[in-house]
Amino acid sequence: MEFFGGIRPLLFSYVLINGIFITLQSKEEVLLDMRATGGELGWLTWPLDQVDKPGWEVVQKTLNGSQFYAYSVCNVGEPEQDNWLRTTFIQRRPSASRIFVELQFIVRDCNSFDASVPCKETFNLFTSESDADVGTTFRKGQFKKVVTIAPDEITSKNGMRINTETKVVDNLSRKGFYLAFQDIGACVALLSVKVYYKACTATVESLARFPETVAGSENQALREVKGECVENAQSEEVPRIYCTADGEWVVQVGHCQCKPGYEKVGDTCQECQPGFFKAASSDGKCEPCPANTQGLEAGAAFCPCMDGFYQAPTDPITGPCSGLPTAPRDLVATTTQLSAGKLLLSWSPPDDTGGRSDITYSVECQSCEGGACRPCGEKIRYEPASAGLTLTRVTVSELDAHLNYTFIVEAHSGVSMFAGQASARAHKPPSTSALTTSLHYTDPPKITSMTVIEKSVTSLSLSWDVSPRPRLHAPPIRYELTYRKKDDNLDVTTYTVLILEKSSVQISELAPGTAYLFRVQALSSDGSPGGSSIEEQYETLHERPFPPINTTAILAAAVGGAVMLFIVVVVLFLRRRKRNSHSRQGAEDNYFSSPEQLKPLKTYVDPHTYEDPNVAVLKFATEIHPSHITKQKVIGAGEFGEVYRGILKVPGRKDVAVAIKTLKPGYTEKQRQDFLSEASIMGQFTHQNIIRLEGVVTKFKHAMIVTEYMENGALDRYLKDHDGEFSSFQLVGMLRGIAAGMKYLSDMSYVHRDLAARNILVNNNLECKVSDFGLSRVLEDDPEGTYTTSGGKIPIRWTAPEAIAYRKFTSASDVWSFGIVMWEVMAFGERPYWDMSNHEVMKAINEAFRLPAPMDCPSAVYQLMLQCWLQDRSKRPRFGDIVSLLDKLLRSPDSLKTIADFDPRVSIRLPSTSGSDGSPFRSVSEWLESIKMSQYSENFTCAGIINMDQVLQMKNEDIKNIGVRLPGHLKRIAYSILGLKDQTSTLSVFAV
Ligand code: AMP
């Protein structure tokens, strides 16, 4: 029987239309392409010499000038067929251990033959590895079956159907291999066989160049690749990246940056243009040269100062250059109020500071007699100093009266000295200001009389006269008033001294009925007392006595208040205890009250398969009229808009509390469809542990998704807020609920892809329900998502290695994530892998390390986690197994009593096991600081724990005993100690 019969031309035109000549994406390296070979392929058929009923045959056809070769076999009706077709020897590239076989084939419908004849509709793919080409030697026994190939569509009389399938042959290790196709009595035509492996193409990512890398096998799905910075870029650490088994780069570490003088342009570092500079290795752009600098050359790391402009050594090299300051202005000497050879010089800052704020001044004095001036010498005193002045004034003293002086005030800036040293050519602008003045001398005035103007119980108002009286417009005279209690023991007399600018004062806060002695004296202009003083005695008025205080009444009121307060506190405490015991009881009961769900018969339907997504929404969700929804309060922020708590009032139905997800204004049609896709998915599920969809609003402008309301919100947050408040039994009960929900989803063939405690919601009964079903959620919504090179987003620390490596998202990868959720729950919402980076997490997982058991975690629960994290996904438990096991544990709570030990051999190293520089902690306080527990420093010291050796000896009980009571803190400290101990033992790979 011949396969093609009269329909062969149709077959080939289809082949052409469908573009069989596929240009391979660069990341697919072809090892064999049957169609591209063009001529005779020379493939071996077996058995040989079957003239009467030949097995696989080459069929050649020319169409539109192109020749095609196909292999076909069609021994339908013949019993016991066993026809083999073997490729030529395919050389493997040493690192390509995972290859892809893409087949295009046609299988004829057995119904088109006589029903009584034997007929098959499948054939088999085999492979055999070898280190050398064995030529025409063919032994069936050396071939291993890869897979049975069944067509998705069979070819009948009504039309030709071409199937395209890609199969994976993994873990190849020898120099080459053969593929073989076994026919067992079907009518098959093999149109194309293409064998290729995937590679991550040579790439430049963030200025790091990575070489082409062959993608790994399932066993070693992530290959770490070292890269190097592009020319004129540098990095502190060697840049690294992972190549996934799918030929995608993910999670780069080590950041290359353009060197000084270079900036990033695309994937290269280009020199800064003349007039621009870049001072450091950074991601930044070249910047224009700052003020008063010049950038004449390209590739400048800094711009030198223009002539006449300078930088101080402390100025940033990236800053502007500045000129020298001009002279100080308006220099004056205050010649009034002179006393004891003193005057005050003051001036205004220069007009031009040269663009600097660090201006200081120096003063020089010359005494001039008969036209000749000479330096005043060391006798002269300056207050506060003669140089380095930041204020624009100085007091000069020890001057001789009636002499002429010249004062020269000079302005300086941070560049003054540097300018002098740096450039002899530099033009130095005048920065001095000179003043000549004469010194006159006057005595301070005398106090002639003092009187008291007003008296009270605690204050006295005094006034005094001076001689000579100050002239109009003369500068004010200052006075020093000293007073003390008259009858003070002279050994311990307390004086109060006031400096006043007026000749009167009111002194308050004095003792009632007490005599005081007052002395007043005028001050000279430099603040020293001068002239004669006057002393007087005045007395404050006596107090009037108050009625006696009723202390008994006050005491009685205080005691009464305290008793009332005590009663209120006791009542509140008792009520709270009662409420807590209710809620705990309710929670435990609840785990057993939910009826076991029947295995759903339905299969999940991807809303994408609907041409019009709006049709999908209406099929799976009930339309709600917006008037039936009342929004009450914002409770969260979703990807598309706010989430509200509200009430759904449907006529004829009881009001229900609901969560309302809204779509923010300004959305595109695509966003609206993505938003509603969550409802299309959620609407297909009915399970106690899956969030229930109440309905949608799609027919009005503001689209909404309405779900049941979960009072306690997201599980991770809830557990963090109730750290240590639940028993293992309760936590396992929560996990049981999540597992039941996941079992339901996996039974419906729905893969969640983003199972994490943050996507589980908790209600008042502590029931946990799986949520977050948006189609785009893994791509967009999750803040934990990390971008891959193809733009997808993966929440690395929750995702199974094969899903990271080659997007193998299955219920088994959901099981891995469930294991992480188990850990999050048992650790009361702790972040998985703490503050390790995504890269560190992937590396540790690749090296077979796993998260350690959370504190107080039952051993059986931890063992289940480890099972969920088996590298080989086929060995992980199914959700059905997980539900059964958790049920078993809950039925015999004693099984939860054995607590998992920390085992350094299996576990990822715990956080904060050494100082930031990697060396061991030098002190208890350094260690406590590193784990943010410094508040307990004193507890450790008081307990006599003063060195790290003592810390290492501590048990959980000891930590409690020194006063660490909060469960979260207790846990953090205990964990860190475990981690410290772990450092002292060798880590070995745990064979999971
Ligand atoms: P989602 O867009 O689903 O991630 O929701 C954002 C946040 O809104 C969640 O983290 C919850 O805090 C809150 N939320 C969403 N749905 C509900 C619900 N059914 N009941 C209570 N809170 C919810």
Side-chain angles (χ1 to χ4, degrees), residues 770-791:
V770 181
S771 80
D772 210 359
F773 298 102
L775 272 186
S776 60
R777 72 198 183 281
V778 180
L779 299 176
E780 316 271 346
D781 189 15
D782 198 325
E784 285 291 348
T786 298
Y787 281 102
T788 66
T789 40
S790 63

PDB file of all heavy atoms in Angstrom, residues 770-791:
ATOM      1  N   VAL A 770      -6.802  29.880  48.291  1.00  0.00           N
ATOM      2  CA  VAL A 770      -5.847  30.245  47.238  1.00  0.00           C
ATOM      3  C   VAL A 770      -6.464  31.359  46.397  1.00  0.00           C
ATOM      4  O   VAL A 770      -7.650  31.282  46.046  1.00  0.00           O
ATOM      5  CB  VAL A 770      -5.526  29.025  46.354  1.00  0.00           C
ATOM      6  CG1 VAL A 770      -4.515  29.384  45.286  1.00  0.00           C
ATOM      7  CG2 VAL A 770      -5.033  27.864  47.208  1.00  0.00           C
ATOM      8  N   SER A 771      -5.684  32.382  46.090  1.00  0.00           N
ATOM      9  CA  SER A 771      -6.208  33.464  45.248  1.00  0.00           C
ATOM     10  C   SER A 771      -5.144  33.866  44.232  1.00  0.00           C
ATOM     11  O   SER A 771      -4.105  33.218  44.128  1.00  0.00           O
ATOM     12  CB  SER A 771      -6.592  34.660  46.112  1.00  0.00           C
ATOM     13  OG  SER A 771      -5.445  35.405  46.457  1.00  0.00           O
ATOM     14  N   ASP A 772      -5.433  34.932  43.525  1.00  0.00           N
ATOM     15  CA  ASP A 772      -4.534  35.506  42.525  1.00  0.00           C
ATOM     16  C   ASP A 772      -4.423  34.624  41.288  1.00  0.00           C
ATOM     17  O   ASP A 772      -3.455  33.877  41.110  1.00  0.00           O
ATOM     18  CB  ASP A 772      -3.143  35.754  43.127  1.00  0.00           C
ATOM     19  CG  ASP A 772      -2.469  36.934  42.450  1.00  0.00           C
ATOM     20  OD1 ASP A 772      -3.096  37.484  41.534  1.00  0.00           O
ATOM     21  OD2 ASP A 772      -1.351  37.284  42.816  1.00  0.00           O
ATOM     22  N   PHE A 773      -5.419  34.769  40.431  1.00  0.00           N
ATOM     23  CA  PHE A 773      -5.471  33.922  39.249  1.00  0.00           C
ATOM     24  C   PHE A 773      -5.306  34.706  37.951  1.00  0.00           C
ATOM     25  O   PHE A 773      -5.588  34.185  36.895  1.00  0.00           O
ATOM     26  CB  PHE A 773      -6.817  33.181  39.205  1.00  0.00           C
ATOM     27  CG  PHE A 773      -6.991  32.271  40.385  1.00  0.00           C
ATOM     28  CD1 PHE A 773      -7.794  32.634  41.456  1.00  0.00           C
ATOM     29  CD2 PHE A 773      -6.331  31.059  40.436  1.00  0.00           C
ATOM     30  CE1 PHE A 773      -7.937  31.795  42.544  1.00  0.00           C
ATOM     31  CE2 PHE A 773      -6.469  30.217  41.526  1.00  0.00           C
ATOM     32  CZ  PHE A 773      -7.276  30.587  42.587  1.00  0.00           C
ATOM     33  N   GLY A 774      -4.910  35.952  38.043  1.00  0.00           N
ATOM     34  CA  GLY A 774      -4.814  36.751  36.811  1.00  0.00           C
ATOM     35  C   GLY A 774      -3.882  36.089  35.810  1.00  0.00           C
ATOM     36  O   GLY A 774      -2.869  35.518  36.194  1.00  0.00           O
ATOM     37  N   LEU A 775      -4.242  36.182  34.535  1.00  0.00           N
ATOM     38  CA  LEU A 775      -3.414  35.539  33.510  1.00  0.00           C
ATOM     39  C   LEU A 775      -2.043  36.167  33.437  1.00  0.00           C
ATOM     40  O   LEU A 775      -1.061  35.529  33.131  1.00  0.00           O
ATOM     41  CB  LEU A 775      -4.089  35.684  32.142  1.00  0.00           C
ATOM     42  CG  LEU A 775      -5.075  34.588  31.798  1.00  0.00           C
ATOM     43  CD1 LEU A 775      -5.552  34.784  30.381  1.00  0.00           C
ATOM     44  CD2 LEU A 775      -4.450  33.214  31.966  1.00  0.00           C
ATOM     45  N   SER A 776      -2.004  37.473  33.727  1.00  0.00           N
ATOM     46  CA  SER A 776      -0.732  38.170  33.564  1.00  0.00           C
ATOM     47  C   SER A 776       0.029  38.204  34.868  1.00  0.00           C
ATOM     48  O   SER A 776       1.050  38.823  34.981  1.00  0.00           O
ATOM     49  CB  SER A 776      -0.994  39.593  33.114  1.00  0.00           C
ATOM     50  OG  SER A 776      -1.773  40.217  34.095  1.00  0.00           O
ATOM     51  N   ARG A 777      -0.521  37.535  35.924  1.00  0.00           N
ATOM     52  CA  ARG A 777       0.019  37.800  37.254  1.00  0.00           C
ATOM     53  C   ARG A 777       1.493  37.478  37.379  1.00  0.00           C
ATOM     54  O   ARG A 777       2.244  38.217  37.997  1.00  0.00           O
ATOM     55  CB  ARG A 777      -0.781  37.067  38.319  1.00  0.00           C
ATOM     56  CG  ARG A 777      -0.529  35.595  38.291  1.00  0.00           C
ATOM     57  CD  ARG A 777      -1.566  34.793  38.998  1.00  0.00           C
ATOM     58  NE  ARG A 777      -1.137  33.399  38.946  1.00  0.00           N
ATOM     59  CZ  ARG A 777      -1.292  32.641  37.896  1.00  0.00           C
ATOM     60  NH1 ARG A 777      -1.896  33.118  36.816  1.00  0.00           N
ATOM     61  NH2 ARG A 777      -0.862  31.406  37.895  1.00  0.00           N
ATOM     62  N   VAL A 778       1.912  36.348  36.778  1.00  0.00           N
ATOM     63  CA  VAL A 778       3.321  35.981  36.950  1.00  0.00           C
ATOM     64  C   VAL A 778       4.188  36.954  36.157  1.00  0.00           C
ATOM     65  O   VAL A 778       5.307  37.261  36.509  1.00  0.00           O
ATOM     66  CB  VAL A 778       3.557  34.531  36.534  1.00  0.00           C
ATOM     67  CG1 VAL A 778       5.014  34.151  36.718  1.00  0.00           C
ATOM     68  CG2 VAL A 778       2.679  33.609  37.364  1.00  0.00           C
ATOM     69  N   LEU A 779       3.604  37.442  35.071  1.00  0.00           N
ATOM     70  CA  LEU A 779       4.389  38.356  34.238  1.00  0.00           C
ATOM     71  C   LEU A 779       4.470  39.744  34.847  1.00  0.00           C
ATOM     72  O   LEU A 779       5.478  40.403  34.751  1.00  0.00           O
ATOM     73  CB  LEU A 779       3.754  38.455  32.850  1.00  0.00           C
ATOM     74  CG  LEU A 779       3.700  37.142  32.092  1.00  0.00           C
ATOM     75  CD1 LEU A 779       2.985  37.327  30.784  1.00  0.00           C
ATOM     76  CD2 LEU A 779       5.108  36.623  31.852  1.00  0.00           C
ATOM     77  N   GLU A 780       3.392  40.205  35.455  1.00  0.00           N
ATOM     78  CA  GLU A 780       3.344  41.621  35.808  1.00  0.00           C
ATOM     79  C   GLU A 780       3.176  41.880  37.299  1.00  0.00           C
ATOM     80  O   GLU A 780       3.853  42.717  37.867  1.00  0.00           O
ATOM     81  CB  GLU A 780       2.119  42.303  35.131  1.00  0.00           C
ATOM     82  CG  GLU A 780       1.894  41.935  33.693  1.00  0.00           C
ATOM     83  CD  GLU A 780       2.645  42.853  32.770  1.00  0.00           C
ATOM     84  OE1 GLU A 780       3.099  43.900  33.245  1.00  0.00           O
ATOM     85  OE2 GLU A 780       2.794  42.509  31.594  1.00  0.00           O
ATOM     86  N   ASP A 781       2.266  41.162  37.908  1.00  0.00           N
ATOM     87  CA  ASP A 781       1.676  41.615  39.153  1.00  0.00           C
ATOM     88  C   ASP A 781       2.576  41.456  40.364  1.00  0.00           C
ATOM     89  O   ASP A 781       2.585  42.275  41.263  1.00  0.00           O
ATOM     90  CB  ASP A 781       0.383  40.808  39.349  1.00  0.00           C
ATOM     91  CG  ASP A 781      -0.452  41.324  40.501  1.00  0.00           C
ATOM     92  OD1 ASP A 781      -0.174  42.445  40.932  1.00  0.00           O
ATOM     93  OD2 ASP A 781      -1.339  40.614  40.951  1.00  0.00           O
ATOM     94  N   ASP A 782       3.343  40.377  40.380  1.00  0.00           N
ATOM     95  CA  ASP A 782       3.988  40.008  41.623  1.00  0.00           C
ATOM     96  C   ASP A 782       5.262  40.803  41.863  1.00  0.00           C
ATOM     97  O   ASP A 782       6.193  40.746  41.075  1.00  0.00           O
ATOM     98  CB  ASP A 782       4.314  38.511  41.588  1.00  0.00           C
ATOM     99  CG  ASP A 782       4.577  37.999  42.980  1.00  0.00           C
ATOM    100  OD1 ASP A 782       5.144  38.776  43.765  1.00  0.00           O
ATOM    101  OD2 ASP A 782       4.220  36.852  43.267  1.00  0.00           O
ATOM    102  N   PRO A 783       5.317  41.550  42.944  1.00  0.00           N
ATOM    103  CA  PRO A 783       6.539  42.341  43.194  1.00  0.00           C
ATOM    104  C   PRO A 783       7.764  41.454  43.382  1.00  0.00           C
ATOM    105  O   PRO A 783       8.887  41.914  43.285  1.00  0.00           O
ATOM    106  CB  PRO A 783       6.216  43.090  44.492  1.00  0.00           C
ATOM    107  CG  PRO A 783       5.062  42.357  45.113  1.00  0.00           C
ATOM    108  CD  PRO A 783       4.322  41.687  44.007  1.00  0.00           C
ATOM    109  N   GLU A 784       7.533  40.169  43.660  1.00  0.00           N
ATOM    110  CA  GLU A 784       8.661  39.251  43.834  1.00  0.00           C
ATOM    111  C   GLU A 784       9.220  38.802  42.480  1.00  0.00           C
ATOM    112  O   GLU A 784      10.238  38.146  42.415  1.00  0.00           O
ATOM    113  CB  GLU A 784       8.213  38.007  44.614  1.00  0.00           C
ATOM    114  CG  GLU A 784       8.014  38.260  46.084  1.00  0.00           C
ATOM    115  CD  GLU A 784       9.308  38.523  46.812  1.00  0.00           C
ATOM    116  OE1 GLU A 784      10.382  38.302  46.242  1.00  0.00           O
ATOM    117  OE2 GLU A 784       9.226  38.972  47.967  1.00  0.00           O
ATOM    118  N   GLY A 785       8.489  39.102  41.411  1.00  0.00           N
ATOM    119  CA  GLY A 785       8.896  38.605  40.091  1.00  0.00           C
ATOM    120  C   GLY A 785      10.234  39.191  39.660  1.00  0.00           C
ATOM    121  O   GLY A 785      10.506  40.359  39.870  1.00  0.00           O
ATOM    122  N   THR A 786      11.074  38.343  39.065  1.00  0.00           N
ATOM    123  CA  THR A 786      12.357  38.810  38.534  1.00  0.00           C
ATOM    124  C   THR A 786      12.315  38.610  37.032  1.00  0.00           C
ATOM    125  O   THR A 786      11.872  37.559  36.567  1.00  0.00           O
ATOM    126  CB  THR A 786      13.492  37.941  39.124  1.00  0.00           C
ATOM    127  OG1 THR A 786      13.470  38.129  40.526  1.00  0.00           O
ATOM    128  CG2 THR A 786      14.839  38.313  38.560  1.00  0.00           C
ATOM    129  N   TYR A 787      12.772  39.591  36.301  1.00  0.00           N
ATOM    130  CA  TYR A 787      12.699  39.483  34.845  1.00  0.00           C
ATOM    131  C   TYR A 787      13.697  38.480  34.284  1.00  0.00           C
ATOM    132  O   TYR A 787      14.818  38.389  34.751  1.00  0.00           O
ATOM    133  CB  TYR A 787      12.954  40.850  34.207  1.00  0.00           C
ATOM    134  CG  TYR A 787      11.746  41.723  34.250  1.00  0.00           C
ATOM    135  CD1 TYR A 787      11.621  42.728  35.182  1.00  0.00           C
ATOM    136  CD2 TYR A 787      10.687  41.501  33.363  1.00  0.00           C
ATOM    137  CE1 TYR A 787      10.485  43.519  35.243  1.00  0.00           C
ATOM    138  CE2 TYR A 787       9.552  42.291  33.414  1.00  0.00           C
ATOM    139  CZ  TYR A 787       9.463  43.290  34.351  1.00  0.00           C
ATOM    140  OH  TYR A 787       8.326  44.056  34.399  1.00  0.00           O
ATOM    141  N   THR A 788      13.293  37.729  33.283  1.00  0.00           N
ATOM    142  CA  THR A 788      14.219  36.893  32.515  1.00  0.00           C
ATOM    143  C   THR A 788      14.547  37.666  31.240  1.00  0.00           C
ATOM    144  O   THR A 788      13.936  38.698  30.975  1.00  0.00           O
ATOM    145  CB  THR A 788      13.567  35.553  32.134  1.00  0.00           C
ATOM    146  OG1 THR A 788      12.503  35.823  31.231  1.00  0.00           O
ATOM    147  CG2 THR A 788      13.024  34.836  33.360  1.00  0.00           C
ATOM    148  N   THR A 789      15.497  37.141  30.448  1.00  0.00           N
ATOM    149  CA  THR A 789      15.887  37.924  29.251  1.00  0.00           C
ATOM    150  C   THR A 789      14.746  38.047  28.263  1.00  0.00           C
ATOM    151  O   THR A 789      14.711  38.961  27.460  1.00  0.00           O
ATOM    152  CB  THR A 789      17.100  37.322  28.538  1.00  0.00           C
ATOM    153  OG1 THR A 789      16.990  35.925  28.533  1.00  0.00           O
ATOM    154  CG2 THR A 789      18.391  37.760  29.168  1.00  0.00           C
ATOM    155  N   SER A 790      13.786  37.102  28.287  1.00  0.00           N
ATOM    156  CA  SER A 790      12.694  37.227  27.326  1.00  0.00           C
ATOM    157  C   SER A 790      11.586  38.108  27.880  1.00  0.00           C
ATOM    158  O   SER A 790      10.527  38.221  27.282  1.00  0.00           O
ATOM    159  CB  SER A 790      12.141  35.846  26.985  1.00  0.00           C
ATOM    160  OG  SER A 790      11.603  35.274  28.149  1.00  0.00           O
ATOM    161  N   GLY A 791      11.820  38.729  29.037  1.00  0.00           N
ATOM    162  CA  GLY A 791      10.841  39.688  29.552  1.00  0.00           C
ATOM    163  C   GLY A 791       9.836  39.057  30.489  1.00  0.00           C
ATOM    164  O   GLY A 791       9.032  39.741  31.092  1.00  0.00           O
TER     165      GLY A 791
END
